[in-house]
């Protein structure tokens, strides 16, 4: 069963409040999403493997740790996931970036895939799929399906706000994929929007309607 980690760090919660606020404009919304993505990346990388190396400090030889070169890739679900990529890359600048293009049909709420491009060596990489919203879970489940079909074996899912329905959908379809969220909200409304949520993440990030 997937584990669910809720990052209730005060800085994340503070910034999330202003992300949710309908009076926050596009520029500030984008900056806040970027900042929260960086803070979440710090937490999500807590279990990255390290190895010992020998170095010399100005005063002595020492054995210290470096990351052991695990191949990482970030995969935003287009389009709103793009808003989280730079924030993660600030901490993991050497990560590759794949893309999965999906939109949710407003009538059926089912995901429609229109683009997939992943880095090489899919089987050896650790993937972090990012999307601000996990609502019905249809988009996340489909994006993870896409990665697995192409050989991905090691996948984490990271989002800002999740509904219980979305968490359950990932747990049912992909019990091997752990879920990292900044807030677990109450429920979905009749249109599949998260309550209280933040509205339409893509529209708020890109200033569209
Ligand atoms: C939003 C969001 C997720 C999806 C979540 O994208 O960014 O990808 O909805 O909903 P679900 O869990 O019910 O699938 P949207 O379809 O609005 O596309 P966009 O990112 O292009 O705006
Ligand atoms: N997608 C969004 O952008 N917001 C929601 O609340 C649900 C799906």
């Amino acid at each position: 069963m997937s584990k669910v980690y809720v990052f209730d760090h005060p800085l994340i919660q503070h910034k999330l409040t202003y992300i949710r606020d309908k009076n926050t404009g596009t520029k500030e919304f984008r900056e806040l999403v970027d900042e929260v993505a960086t803070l979440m990346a710090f937490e999500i990388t807590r279990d990255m493997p390290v190895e010992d190396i020998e170095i010399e400090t100005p005063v002595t030889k020492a054995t210290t740790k470096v990351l052991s070169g695990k191949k990482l890739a970030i995969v935003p679900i287009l389009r709103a996931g793009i808003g989280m990529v730079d924030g993660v890359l600030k901490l993991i600048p050497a990560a590759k970036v794949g893309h999965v293009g999906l939109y949710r049909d407003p009538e059926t709420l089912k995901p429609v895939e229109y683009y997939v491009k992943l880095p090489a060596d899919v089987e050896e990489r650790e993937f972090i799929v990012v999307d601000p919203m996990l609502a019905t879970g249809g988009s996340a489940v489909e994006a993870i399906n896409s990665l697995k079909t192409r050989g991905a074996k090691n996948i984490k899912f990271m989002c800002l706000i999740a509904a219980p329905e979305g968490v359950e959908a990932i747990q049912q379809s992909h019990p091997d994929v752990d879920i990292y969220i900044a807030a677990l909200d109450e429920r979905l409304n009749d249109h599949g929007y998260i309550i209280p949520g933040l509205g339409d993440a893509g529209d708020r990030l890109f200033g569209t309607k």
Side-chain angles (χ1 to χ4, degrees):
M1 169 73 82
S2 339
K3 295 196 195 78
V4 181
Y5 300 90
V6 182
F7 294 147
D8 56 359
H9 190 289
L11 279 176
I12 293 178
Q13 295 308 313
H14 174 86
K15 290 175 192 295
L16 195 56
T17 294
Y18 293 99
I19 288 173
R20 290 181 187 277
D21 190 333
K22 69 174 188 181
N23 294 316
T24 300
T26 304
K27 174 177 179 289
E28 201 186 345
F29 185 90
R30 217 178 266 150
E31 289 167 358
L32 287 163
V33 169
D34 180 77
E35 288 168 17
V36 171
T38 304
L39 293 168
M40 292 184 78
F42 183 71
E43 296 282 355
I44 206 173
T45 49
R46 190 174 283 281
D47 64 352
M48 277 174 102
V50 289
E51 62 191 14
D52 288 340
I53 62 161
E54 301 281 326
I55 58 156
E56 278 186 47
T57 77
V59 282
T60 185
K61 288 191 173 169
T63 304
T64 56
K65 310 265 182 221
V66 288
L67 294 173
S68 69
K70 188 143 193 150
K71 291 181 168 185
L72 259 175
I74 306 158
V75 180
I77 300 178
L78 305 180
R79 103 200 118 128
I82 290 172
M84 298 176 73
V85 173
D86 284 350
V88 179
L89 285 175
K90 273 181 201 133
L91 289 193
I92 321 168
K96 301 282 191 278
V97 181
H99 294 86
V100 175
L102 290 172
Y103 68 88
R104 195 171 74 151
D105 184 295
E107 300 297 325
T108 64
L109 300 184
K110 299 278 178 238
V112 182
E113 187 178 283
Y114 57 87
Y115 184 77
V116 180
K117 187 83 177 171
L118 300 179
D121 311 327
V122 172
E123 292 184 7
E124 291 116 65
R125 277 185 198 281
E126 180 172 326
F127 287 90
I128 305 176
V129 177
V130 297
D131 191 326
M133 308 305 275
L134 177 64
T136 63
S139 304
V141 165
E142 194 54 38
I144 296 166
N145 278 340
S146 258
L147 264 60
K148 285 187 174 175
T149 305
R150 290 164 178 80
K153 296 189 165 34
N154 189 341
I155 304 171
K156 294 175 172 170
F157 180 80
M158 175 169 126
C159 69
L160 300 186
I161 299 179
E165 293 88 335
V167 169
E168 201 183 319
I170 294 184
Q171 287 180 324
Q172 292 283 335
S173 300
H174 299 294
D176 55 314
V177 175
D178 288 342
I179 305 165
Y180 299 81
I181 62 189
L184 181 60
D185 276 9
E186 285 162 28
R187 63 185 171 87
L188 297 178
N189 70 10
D190 293 344
H191 304 286
Y193 275 86
I194 299 177
I195 303 296
L198 55 71
D200 187 306
D203 283 346
R204 294 199 62 194
L205 267 169
F206 297 108
T208 51
K209 196 147 173 32

